[in-house]
Amino acid sequence: GDILAPYGATGLIALAFVHISDKALKRWLWISGAYVCLISLPLLAMSYVGGAPPTFENVPLYVNQMIIGFSSSILLTTASGVMAVFVPLTIIGMMLQRSGWIDHPADHLPQLRRVFISGMVVGVLSSLPVSLVALGAWHPSEMIHQVTIYSTLVGGMYAGLGYICGFALMAHRWSARGRHGVPGALAAVGERSLTSYLLQSIIMAPLLTVWGLGLGDGMGYLMAFVVAAGTWFVTILLAVLMDRNGIRGPFEVALRRLTYGRRT
């Protein structure tokens, strides 16, 4: 049930937009954005309130998890392609790249700050209602609950754009430091982003799942934050150690080998 397969499917869809003009790209952004906001995200919001996934009786917990994970991965990948959930964000990424916001942030600082600050505000405000529901401080009807999830999903899309601009601002501020300290550590993670991302699952799954140590059962928000932050710091440490020893991320190596074949 990982998100990488839907990302891959979206990447294949995005190939159609790589060489079109800026005007056509903007037109497809409006079309895909309207489709996602009016059709895909409402369906997604309703599915979130639908309840827990099915379980199989008399089956070991690990096998049950594998069956559900495999089937949900196929379903999620197919659904994400049909609903085009990530397509508007991918198009925005292409537009940011073409505009030079990422490669030359010094030329776009006012715009980057504006989008970053507004993105963080929208992200917090749009997620506040669903946070109150999760904390048990608010008990709305099912329809209102779906609306709160919808607002979180829509706001999260804009917040994601804000995060991208925030990292561009951070790169500009820290450009003079080179690969030392925090910038160097983040660069090491970025160059091994796939490995670092998958490492989080490799660490968390045995710790939290019912077929592992089962620590996730009944875990509060504070402890969940501690586990998440600790896992992230472990991935940073491993990425820095690989960087200092000149070791590429193993999953980056595997992906490149699968993409381009063996080096001749």
Side-chain angles (χ1 to χ4, degrees):
D2 198 272
I3 202 69
L4 286 178
Y7 281 172
T10 303
L12 294 174
I13 297 172
L15 289 174
F17 303 113
V18 171
H19 298 296
I20 65 176
S21 66
D22 292 347
K23 185 177 180 180
L25 198 62
K26 187 178 295 185
R27 183 167 60 247
W28 275 108
L29 173 61
W30 284 107
I31 294 172
S32 62
Y35 175 76
V36 168
C37 290
L38 296 177
I39 298 176
S40 302
L41 293 187
L43 292 175
L44 209 58
M46 287 187 285
S47 69
Y48 271 116
V49 189
T55 57
F56 301 93
E57 296 182 359
N58 302 321
V59 174
L61 293 174
Y62 180 79
V63 176
N64 182 77
Q65 182 73 45
M66 292 295 291
I67 295 173
I68 294 175
F70 180 74
S71 57
S72 64
S73 181
I74 296 175
L75 178 64
L76 185 64
T77 305
T78 305
S80 68
V82 173
M83 295 195 295
V85 177
F86 303 120
V87 170
L89 298 174
T90 305
I91 293 176
I92 289 174
M94 291 179 174
M95 295 173 69
L96 282 176
Q97 178 64 25
R98 291 185 182 186
S99 67
W101 282 28
I102 306 302
D103 291 337
H104 307 285
D107 299 331
H108 309 277
L109 293 179
Q111 299 95 319
L112 288 169
R113 291 193 187 101
R114 191 159 48 243
V115 176
F116 169 64
I117 294 172
S118 61
M120 296 305 95
V121 172
V122 169
V124 171
L125 294 179
S126 63
S127 61
L128 185 59
V130 79
S131 300
L132 294 174
V133 174
L135 290 169
W138 183 33
H139 303 281
S141 64
E142 183 173 309
M143 180 176 292
I144 298 299
H145 190 190
Q146 291 172 355
V147 172
T148 63
I149 294 174
Y150 176 81
S151 71
T152 301
L153 293 172
V154 174
M157 293 176 71
Y158 185 70
L161 175 59
Y163 275 114
I164 293 173
C165 293
F167 278 111
L169 288 169
M170 189 184 300
H172 169 71
R173 181 180 290 268
W174 287 350
S175 59
R177 297 188 187 183
R179 295 185 65 110
H180 302 287
V182 175
L186 293 178
V189 172
E191 291 169 345
R192 297 159 183 81
S193 56
L194 181 60
T195 295
S196 298
Y197 172 73
L198 290 175
L199 268 174
Q200 296 181 7
S201 295
I202 294 171
I203 294 171
M204 285 187 178
L207 289 176
L208 304 179
T209 55
V210 290
W211 51 262
L213 296 178
L215 300 180
D217 188 23
M219 179 181 288
Y221 286 105
L222 179 59
M223 183 54 66
F225 177 81
V226 171
V227 172
T231 302
W232 191 63
F233 280 116
V234 169
T235 60
I236 292 177
L237 178 62
L238 292 174
V240 169
L241 289 174
M242 284 189 284
D243 184 59
R244 289 181 177 178
N245 289 279
I247 301 173
R248 297 169 60 196
F251 289 103
E252 280 75 19
V253 173
L255 179 62
R256 193 168 185 84
R257 177 69 58 82
L258 290 169
T259 304
Y260 299 108
R262 290 184 176 274
R263 186 181 297 175
T264 57

